[in-house]
Amino acid sequence: MTRGFVNHLLLAMLAALVALLGAQGASASEIDMPCIAKGALIDGETIDAAATERSAWNCEGQTNEPAGGDWTLKFEIEPGAEPMRILHTRLGHFDQLDLAVQDSGGQWTFETKTLSDMQADIGAPYIHTALPESGGGQPVLVLASFRGNGHGPTLTRAELRTEPPMLSRSDLLGLLALAALAGVLLIPIALDSAFLFALKESFLAWHIALSLGFASVLAARANLFGLVVDMPADILRITLIMTMGITVSFALMFTRAYIEKGRLPDWLNRAIPYLAVWSFAISAIHAASFEFLRPLGGNFHSFGIAVPTFALAYAMFAAWRNGSRAVRFQLIGWVPLFLASLIQIITHVFPIGIQQDAMPIQYIGVLFEGIGTAMGVADRFIILRRERDRAVRDARALSKLSERDPLTGLLNRRAVETRFENLRTQGFNTFALLDLDRFKQINDEHGHQIGDKALVACAEAIRHDGDRNSIAVRLGGEEFVVLLRGKDARQRAEAFREAIPVRVMHEIEGLNRPVTASMGLIELPGKGSGTMTFDELYARADKLLYEAKATGRNRMIYERLTVFSEAPPTRKAAQNG
């Protein structure tokens, strides 16, 4: 995915979201607001005067979010209208709700409820409760006094209804869509788990947590829990607040682990864990609804959660500016989510009209975030897998280089020692140790360059590419080992030794004498039998080699072991070249 494609996609999404926001704002402005007054005005002795005292009520439309504390709403029901039975409002904290209904005969009916007495809606973060039954005629006036209110939209979104909220066919389809969206968010968990097992990268664990967080936020906002269990409104409120705060924390930690190293400012990289703790803590404080914070209403949480949210937005912007590939996938979903958060914060804090939840934008953002981030994680996995495969190939290449003699290309002693036991089980039972005769004189008379050429020619004489029954090794200096298996192994080893002077004479001109080799050879009994190590065989073969040198050089002395013990019986034979 190119950077230009992602940029064009983000611009198209932004234009569509702005259009969606305009449509949402237009419909929201048509909502009729009840009259509102400061204080708890429901009192048996003064209720008639309070209800009719015009100066106490603001009936022009509440354009600013009411502060926390005690507030009373007044609903006037037109004569002949359908009977209103339900108070419906936005989920939020309050200590007590006093309800008073006046019928056409002037009789008042009272009832007191708490948040836990309210019924939570399915499909949206709203609550409702039945109004007290009037004693006589048709209800004409309803007062709802919220004591210890802590959330402005609980007042601004309040309305009367004739019946409890019922799930229509379209509502059920919407719930199915939200449930499917939550399911889409959970799908990457299996993929992340498999990747995590393979890569052990922390960003995969954080993405699992983030996916669970987003799915929980969706379930809480739409109260999908209510389809399974009867969740009390106060518990649903705490769940909604905490899932939101925890999800922001997970998003911060995921971004920190997911963005490539060096793409985030160092100070921000260090600050993100503290901001994640802040998001959790501010949400927990708001969920607890301490009394001394209630005058702030929802502003406390709006401002508090804005800090880590803006930090998250800045982190993504900084990573994008620094050329991060990973952050482009994140931005696909986070642009609408940041826009929805900005709308909520602005409309909840500043007096510019009724508060907006921007839930359609949030749902779009969550869907895009789930898809975009899953694509990004898969892309990052592919990149990391390629890097690891390349590193493994490089490590293997280096390992092979470390097992090869750089001059001759033969295996070195380390390579054969580490594999010796396995080679024995494969039938390499003949161990031939060779040493070039009077090689020091070649270096002294012709120089080390000629000496090196002689070593290379010797290696070519004993190395037979494609021969699976012999392995040539350079131990160091002018000393070589050939491991052999199969029939006539001793005769083939002798043929290798005799080929050395021929190959050297053919490859190097100007030598004043032939370059010969002496050899000590041991034949082991049985395929893989015995417990002699490479060092033990080398020590025995070295004694035979010394004997070959002492008896005139340019010859092989061999020994065949028949029984393994501390002093195995042997048979020796000498052969002159």
Side-chain angles (χ1 to χ4, degrees):
M1 183 179 293
T2 64
R3 183 172 184 176
F5 172 78
V6 175
N7 292 341
H8 284 92
L9 179 60
L10 293 175
L11 289 175
M13 289 168 50
L14 184 60
L17 293 172
V18 169
L20 178 61
L21 175 60
Q24 185 186 17
S27 63
S29 63
E30 299 173 1
I31 297 177
D32 293 329
M33 301 293 297
C35 298
I36 188 168
K38 179 69 175 175
L41 302 182
I42 297 180
D43 190 316
E45 298 179 357
T46 61
I47 189 169
D48 288 311
T52 56
E53 179 58 46
R54 298 275 179 188
S55 60
W57 298 95
N58 176 5
C59 299
E60 302 300 323
Q62 185 69 23
T63 59
N64 189 13
E65 178 184 346
D70 298 342
W71 292 85
T72 301
L73 302 178
K74 180 171 70 171
F75 299 87
E76 296 181 357
I77 305 173
E78 296 182 3
E82 291 186 72
M84 296 295 171
R85 298 186 177 90
I86 301 296
L87 174 66
H88 185 256
T89 188
R90 181 71 159 77
L91 175 62
H93 176 80
F94 55 83
D95 292 333
Q96 180 178 310
L97 171 61
D98 296 326
L99 293 171
V101 176
Q102 185 184 41
D103 60 25
S104 55
Q107 182 70 31
W108 287 96
T109 305
F110 301 92
E111 191 171 355
T112 297
K113 299 181 183 256
T114 61
L115 181 58
S116 60
D117 297 323
M118 307 290 285
Q119 296 294 314
D121 288 6
I122 304 293
Y126 282 77
I127 54 178
H128 63 275
T129 188
L131 296 174
E133 301 246 348
S134 60
Q138 180 80 6
V140 296
L141 189 66
V142 176
L143 298 182
S145 184
F146 291 87
R147 299 175 184 267
N149 181 66
H151 194 49
T154 303
L155 304 177
T156 59
R157 298 294 180 85
E159 61 180 2
L160 297 183
R161 294 190 175 188
T162 58
E163 298 291 342
M166 301 294 291
L167 292 177
S168 64
R169 183 176 181 180
S170 61
D171 293 333
L172 288 174
L173 291 175
L175 286 176
L176 287 175
L178 290 176
L181 177 55
V184 168
L185 294 173
L186 296 177
I187 289 175
I189 293 177
L191 189 64
D192 290 338
S193 300
F195 289 169
L196 181 62
F197 179 79
L199 291 181
K200 305 293 190 298
E201 292 285 345
S202 61
F203 76 86
L204 293 168
W206 285 117
H207 189 240
I208 292 173
L210 181 60
S211 299
L212 289 172
F214 272 124
S216 300
V217 168
L218 275 181
R221 288 193 71 88
N223 190 21
L224 298 179
F225 305 116
L227 297 173
V228 182
V229 296
D230 185 15
M231 179 172 285
D234 52 346
I235 301 300
L236 179 61
R237 170 187 168 270
I238 294 173
T239 302
L240 180 57
I241 294 171
M242 291 308 302
T243 53
M244 181 67 70
I246 292 172
T247 301
V248 172
S249 298
F250 288 160
L252 284 164
M253 296 304 297
F254 167 71
T255 300
R256 181 175 185 262
Y258 173 63
I259 299 299
E260 303 92 333
K261 290 184 178 180
R263 297 294 191 268
L264 290 178
D266 290 339
W267 67 267
L268 183 58
N269 199 53
R270 293 191 297 268
I272 282 178
Y274 298 100
L275 291 168
V277 173
W278 170 268
S279 178
F280 176 85
I282 208 75
S283 298
I285 293 171
H286 182 58
S289 189
F290 293 107
E291 187 172 353
F292 70 92
L293 292 175
R294 290 177 194 168
L296 299 176
N299 291 355
F300 169 75
H301 189 243
S302 297
F303 279 122
I305 205 71
V307 175
T309 302
F310 286 146
L312 180 61
Y314 178 75
M316 293 186 186
F317 173 75
W320 178 76
R321 286 284 302 273
N322 290 330
S324 169
R325 173 186 175 90
V327 79
R328 301 174 202 167
F329 294 95
Q330 270 190 292
L331 288 173
I332 292 173
W334 278 99
V335 165
L337 287 174
F338 286 140
L339 182 59
S341 298
L342 188 63
I343 292 168
Q344 288 186 43
I345 292 170
I346 291 176
T347 60
H348 280 68
V349 173
F350 300 102
I352 61 175
I354 194 166
Q355 295 82 6
Q356 298 287 334
D357 290 323
M359 291 180 66
I361 302 178
Q362 287 191 45
Y363 294 150
I364 292 174
V366 168
L367 174 61
F368 285 1
E369 195 282 334
I371 296 174
T373 306
M375 291 170 56
V377 168
D379 179 75
R380 185 71 179 280
F381 171 78
I382 293 172
I383 292 173
L384 288 174
R385 188 60 180 265
R386 286 174 180 170
E387 291 176 350
R388 293 208 171 188
D389 289 346
R390 189 182 303 113
V392 169
R393 288 196 301 269
D394 292 344
R396 287 175 178 172
L398 289 173
S399 178
K400 289 181 179 179
L401 288 175
S402 68
E403 295 179 349
R404 292 282 177 179
D405 173 51
L407 177 63
T408 64
L410 298 181
L411 293 174
N412 59 26
R413 179 166 183 160
R414 173 180 177 272
V416 73
E417 276 187 318
T418 56
R419 298 175 174 86
F420 186 68
E421 183 177 351
N422 185 44
L423 291 173
R424 285 279 293 113
T425 62
Q426 296 177 31
F428 286 91
N429 298 322
T430 300
F431 187 100
L433 177 64
L434 297 96
D435 187 271
L436 299 184
D437 297 327
R438 297 188 174 94
F439 183 73
K440 184 176 182 301
Q441 293 180 8
I442 297 175
N443 285 329
D444 293 341
E445 295 175 8
H446 301 280
H448 287 279
Q449 185 175 6
I450 297 299
D452 288 345
K453 288 182 178 181
L455 291 173
V456 172
C458 176
E460 294 299 324
I462 65 176
R463 172 172 53 198
H464 288 253
D465 293 333
D467 182 1
R468 301 180 59 185
N469 295 317
S470 65
I471 300 173
V473 181
R474 184 188 178 195
L475 298 183
E478 64 271 22
E479 200 170 47
F480 299 84
V481 163
V482 180
L483 300 177
L484 302 100
R485 66 180 174 183
K487 295 180 180 180
D488 302 323
R490 175 162 52 87
Q491 288 77 6
R492 286 187 286 119
E494 175 61 11
F496 292 161
R497 187 191 69 80
E498 292 178 347
I500 291 175
V502 177
R503 187 65 180 246
V504 173
M505 182 177 63
H506 177 74
E507 297 287 341
I508 305 172
E509 297 180 357
L511 293 178
N512 55 12
R513 63 173 182 82
V515 176
T516 61
S518 300
M519 182 166 65
L521 183 144
I522 296 178
E523 292 179 312
L524 302 172
K527 183 177 179 180
S529 62
T531 58
M532 293 189 71
T533 65
F534 180 90
D535 288 340
E536 290 171 335
L537 282 173
Y538 173 80
R540 297 185 71 90
D542 189 51
K543 291 180 180 179
L544 299 176
L545 176 63
Y546 179 79
E547 185 176 345
K549 294 275 190 182
T551 56
R553 294 185 176 86
N554 190 22
R555 67 192 61 209
M556 174 184 69
I557 301 294
Y558 75 91
E559 180 180 48
R560 178 180 297 162
L561 303 185
T562 57
V563 179
F564 277 13
S565 65
E566 291 185 359
T570 63
R571 185 181 68 184
K572 294 184 179 181
Q575 181 175 337
N576 295 328

